[in-house]
Amino acid sequence: MALVACVETGLRTARLPRVARWLGVPLAEAGPCAGSGTPGATGSEPMPLELAPRERAGVRDARRVLSVPGVDGTCLRQALVVGHVLRRRGPRLVLGVAKRDGTVSAHAWVEVQGWVVDDFHLHAGRPAGFERLPATPA
């Protein structure tokens, strides 16, 4: 809960690139995540990402706290908290945008070792329909 409060305070008082760096999940540059894992046997997916028990517990706890009514659990906050939990793996915060039926949508997720962590789940590819935005300077 303390981490979620720190993220919220940071987002309200500082610019996103700085908050992301403080949490150990800096903004990703354009293109694939730096340090992506080696492709698997198919050549299309990175090697499986096995989370340590402590990391799994941290992601599970983040999901639980960010799901409490009254807590702002938007994708940006999810990505920052999960990125912090996985900070020893060199995660990158990715911001994306999509246009559907004339409406522009924004989304945030984390990339770590070639995997996407979105909505507390591991995926092999970025969220459908979203184009990565380039990182902005602090």
Side-chain angles (χ1 to χ4, degrees), residues 9-101:
T9 301
L11 289 173
R12 292 174 184 264
T13 60
R15 293 185 63 205
L16 178 58
R18 178 170 287 177
V19 174
R21 278 195 319 271
W22 285 340
L23 293 167
V25 56
L27 286 170
E29 298 299 325
C33 180
S36 292
T38 308
T42 64
S44 61
E45 288 188 6
M47 295 299 286
L49 181 63
E50 294 292 330
L51 298 182
R54 187 177 201 171
E55 293 170 325
R56 283 194 305 275
V59 171
R60 185 179 56 245
D61 291 346
R63 181 181 200 160
R64 193 173 302 135
V65 170
L66 289 166
S67 299
V68 170
V71 173
D72 190 347
T74 62
C75 58
L76 177 59
R77 285 147 179 88
Q78 289 176 16
L80 288 169
V81 172
V82 170
H84 180 74
V85 169
L86 302 177
R87 67 191 175 280
R88 288 187 176 86
R89 294 180 179 266
R92 296 291 182 258
L93 175 65
V94 182
L95 303 176
V97 65
K99 187 172 183 180
R100 296 183 185 124
D101 301 324

